[in-house]
Amino acid sequence: MKVFKFLLLFIVTLMMMVSLASAVEIGPNPTSSLLNDDGPFSVSSSSVSRYVSGFGGGTIYYPTTSGQYGVIAVCPGFTGTSSSISWFARRLATHGFVTIAMNTNSTLDYPSSRATQLAAALRYVINSSSSTIRARVRSADRGVAGHSMGGGGTLIASANDSTLRVGVPMTPWNTYTSFSSVRVPQMIFGADGDTIAPYASHARPFYNSISLAEKAYGLLNSATHFTPNSTDERIGRYGVAFAKRFVDGDTRYTPFLCGSEHTSYATSLRFETFLNTCPY
Ligand code: 9J3
């Protein structure tokens, strides 16, 4: 009996050590007003030539404060360039991530190509020729995000690499709807007025098809296909909170995804529909 109790205590202690080891708290305790805007980190940026191999260059954003941060690549949509999603890459960085607002090899590349380019952009940041940027990166903690075909690419990149920690597809577009093999947590945004990637045939069936990962779906009210191309409080708030929860394992963000801070914010004025697999 005593041996049994000792074993149990030992196992519980081990489990606690494992869960602590995989969670990194970066930055002050989150508040609603911090999450609605730029975060507490000052950010530097570094431009990446379009002639690098595997993707089309872009801009890296990283916290000025030394430390190790998760890394997230953000991909634009069809005909778009990095400037169309740079607000989101920069926003993530101000909350404690190293990010890249990337360009694609061709602005006409399809989602499967955008997926391999997202992976190439992550590798590029992790192996950066800048020792400052290399020193800021926790290479095990990688995520992907993107708009439209970049959102389709985000889901495909997530299906291709189950070691990614997060995907944030924004008004995603793809030729097929089943992402049943995805094991990477996804925060999917749809737009109620999207006529290019209508949520009923894109974002929503993508969300529904995922059963092997934690997920959330926010259908933005009074929004279009291009709402993710400029600063949006809702996308910033939930994109940051979801990335913090799943890239850093930081459960201080749980109330903003599943708890009272979520339910009070996610009114029907902001989200026509909000679905999730809470608690997480
Ligand atoms: O990336 C997007 O904005 C994709 C939607 C699109 O127009 O696809 C047509 C082929």
Side-chain angles (χ1 to χ4, degrees):
M1 202 55 194
K2 260 187 182 157
V3 173
F4 178 69
K5 272 187 184 168
F6 175 81
L7 257 175
L8 199 68
L9 196 68
F10 182 69
I11 288 165
V12 166
T13 308
L14 263 181
M15 285 169 67
M16 283 170 70
M17 284 167 71
V18 166
S19 70
L20 281 173
S22 61
V24 196
E25 291 183 0
I26 294 168
N29 290 336
T31 64
S32 191
S33 54
L34 266 179
L35 274 173
N36 287 350
D37 210 327
D38 279 352
F41 292 92
S42 296
V43 162
S44 296
S45 67
S46 168
S47 73
V48 179
S49 160
R50 63 181 294 187
Y51 301 110
V52 294
S53 90
F55 67 108
T59 305
I60 297 173
Y61 299 93
Y62 59 99
T64 311
T65 311
S66 44
Q68 289 197 299
Y69 306 89
V71 52
I72 301 176
V74 189
C75 182
F78 196 60
T79 75
T81 64
S82 60
S83 64
S84 68
I85 41 77
S86 54
W87 79 269
F88 185 62
R90 191 182 171 284
R91 172 65 62 87
L92 286 168
T94 68
H95 286 272
F97 294 100
V98 175
T99 65
I100 179 166
M102 62 180 281
N103 287 301
T104 45
N105 293 321
S106 159
T107 57
L108 310 181
D109 289 335
Y110 262 49
S112 62
S113 171
R114 285 168 200 266
T116 56
Q117 294 183 57
L118 275 161
L122 286 175
R123 282 195 299 275
Y124 182 90
V125 175
I126 289 164
N127 299 312
S128 173
S129 57
S130 154
S131 57
T132 305
I133 294 173
R134 270 200 324 275
R136 295 276 190 282
V137 166
R138 281 199 327 273
S139 59
D141 295 332
R142 305 173 318 280
V144 286
H147 172 239
S148 196
M149 283 198 195
T154 295
L155 286 154
I156 297 169
S158 299
N160 290 347
D161 182 359
S162 65
T163 70
L164 294 174
R165 304 284 193 208
V166 81
V168 185
M170 299 175 276
T171 58
W173 185 98
N174 197 44
T175 52
Y176 56 88
T177 59
S178 178
F179 289 97
S180 56
S181 70
V182 167
R183 292 178 178 276
V184 178
Q186 302 290 317
M187 171 74 243
I188 301 177
F189 294 99
D192 60 351
D194 194 333
T195 56
I196 294 167
Y199 67 85
S201 52
H202 291 268
R204 181 62 192 266
F206 302 165
Y207 175 82
N208 288 349
S209 75
I210 297 166
S211 60
L212 301 177
E214 302 290 9
K215 56 180 181 173
Y217 168 76
L219 181 57
L220 304 165
N221 197 19
S222 303
T224 73
H225 186 60
F226 301 104
T227 294
N229 293 143
S230 44
T231 305
D232 183 277
E233 183 188 279
R234 300 162 295 184
I235 294 173
R237 179 180 173 110
Y238 281 89
V240 165
F242 201 85
K244 287 294 228 178
R245 171 63 189 85
F246 290 106
V247 177
D248 293 349
D250 192 339
T251 51
R252 294 179 302 170
Y253 289 82
T254 296
F256 299 91
L257 298 167
C258 300
S260 57
E261 301 277 8
H262 162 59
T263 48
S264 61
Y265 182 84
T267 65
S268 59
L269 279 171
R270 294 191 172 101
F271 293 102
E272 208 163 281
T273 306
F274 202 105
L275 306 169
N276 58 47
T277 50
C278 288
Y280 43 67

